[in-house]
Amino acid sequence: MSSNTTLSGAARGRLLAFNGFVWIFGLVVIVIIGAVLLAETGDEVSASDDYAYEPWLNPDPVLADDEGDGVYSGVEGAMVPLDGLDPAQPLLITELDDTYVGRVSVTGPGGEILTEGEYGGPAEFESYIASDGHWVIVPQADVELWIDGFSDERWRMKVTTPPVEERSGTVSGFGPAVFALDATATTARVSMRGEGRVSIETVTSAGVTEVFSENEPTDRSIAWADGEPVLFVIDAWDDAGWTIVFPEDAASTPAGTPAPTPEPGATGVSP
């Protein structure tokens, strides 16, 4: 005996109809998912590729979204315009929602380079040790921040101006610290004791510089570029303690009192 597996016309019709339904349903699901992802990520996730490495040269730059209360969001290479700032007050850039904010470049309005960075472009701020975000020092009241993030996702951040303590003389401690130097020194002596690692970065309007990083007991000098203000960002792991000794300003050292000039005839010898 043999079985006839040939489908009837009606069965073939039902099968084709079912396949068509599956295809249409799949396309609808794909469209819905795409719409949701587009709503979450926006129309783009990076600025123009023509200006990927120098977005401040873009004549039509991508602006970040101002969400209010110092919160901004955008794509890689987007710009945050700020005005009315106090150049003596450092800015703190904090990442939000587990998004990534890397290097922050600072220019004047229109992409004008105010302070030249290490590679000829504008000053760049990228900290490898600050646990609370990226510290930025601006050279004037009106600036533009150019944000470097991941090329395939949007970033979200907050700009604040937290108070920073001013220190001079001998400063020491365990664990992280941030302070502004209340002196005009450009050198200091750093000592480290204990187990762990101590790293120190200086922040000026010219950018961020690592000036010390050791994981063994050390006592040596450090130096940094001149600037005002100068911010010290310190991170220390485990049980490592650190001490920084800044020299006293020559201008703040009291001048010696000159010895009085003896008057003629005051030597005890009669004329």
Side-chain angles (χ1 to χ4, degrees):
M1 297 180 59
S2 63
S3 60
N4 186 4
T5 58
T6 303
L7 296 176
S8 65
R12 284 197 301 270
R14 288 194 298 270
L15 181 59
L16 291 174
F18 176 76
N19 289 338
F21 171 78
V22 170
W23 275 101
I24 294 174
F25 179 78
L27 289 175
V28 171
V29 171
I30 292 174
V31 170
I32 293 175
I33 293 176
V36 171
L37 292 177
L38 184 61
E40 292 180 351
T41 61
D43 296 334
E44 55 184 347
V45 291
S46 63
S48 172
D49 290 339
D50 295 336
Y51 302 95
Y53 299 104
E54 297 175 313
W56 50 88
L57 298 180
N58 191 342
D60 187 21
V62 177
L63 292 179
D65 296 328
D66 185 353
E67 302 182 16
D69 196 27
V71 176
Y72 299 87
S73 61
V75 300
E76 179 188 26
M79 181 263 286
V80 176
L82 300 175
D83 56 43
L85 301 176
D86 178 3
Q89 173 62 57
L91 307 178
L92 179 60
I93 309 297
T94 306
E95 301 163 335
L96 300 177
D97 302 335
D98 294 326
T99 59
Y100 173 74
V101 173
R103 183 173 58 252
V104 178
S105 301
V106 177
T107 70
E112 176 190 4
I113 296 181
L114 303 173
T115 304
E116 189 173 291
E118 182 179 1
Y119 302 105
E124 300 176 348
F125 298 84
E126 182 177 14
S127 175
Y128 293 97
I129 66 173
S131 58
D132 45 6
H134 300 288
W135 289 94
V136 174
I137 294 179
V138 299
Q140 64 181 37
D142 300 341
V143 297
E144 294 175 347
L145 306 184
W146 304 85
I147 311 303
D148 177 42
F150 286 138
S151 61
D152 58 350
E153 70 175 36
R154 293 177 64 88
W155 50 262
R156 192 166 182 262
M157 70 180 200
K158 185 168 186 175
V159 182
T160 58
T161 55
V164 177
E165 183 180 12
E166 293 187 346
R167 301 293 300 272
S168 62
T170 299
V171 186
S172 60
F174 288 86
V178 177
F179 63 86
L181 178 60
D182 185 19
T184 58
T186 56
T187 63
R189 193 81 185 177
V190 177
S191 61
M192 168 201 163
R193 294 294 181 269
E195 299 292 333
R197 173 176 287 276
V198 174
S199 295
I200 302 175
E201 293 176 341
T202 57
V203 186
T204 68
S205 60
V208 180
T209 304
E210 183 182 77
V211 295
F212 184 90
S213 184
E214 299 289 348
N215 58 3
E216 295 181 353
T218 308
D219 188 342
R220 66 176 176 86
S221 296
I222 61 172
W224 57 92
D226 189 17
E228 188 177 351
V230 178
L231 202 66
F232 278 76
V233 181
I234 303 167
D235 200 7
W237 291 268
D238 301 328
D239 298 323
W242 50 269
T243 299
I244 308 176
V245 180
F246 297 100
E248 294 184 1
D249 290 343
S252 64
T253 304
T257 303
T261 302
E263 298 180 0
T267 60
V269 179
S270 301

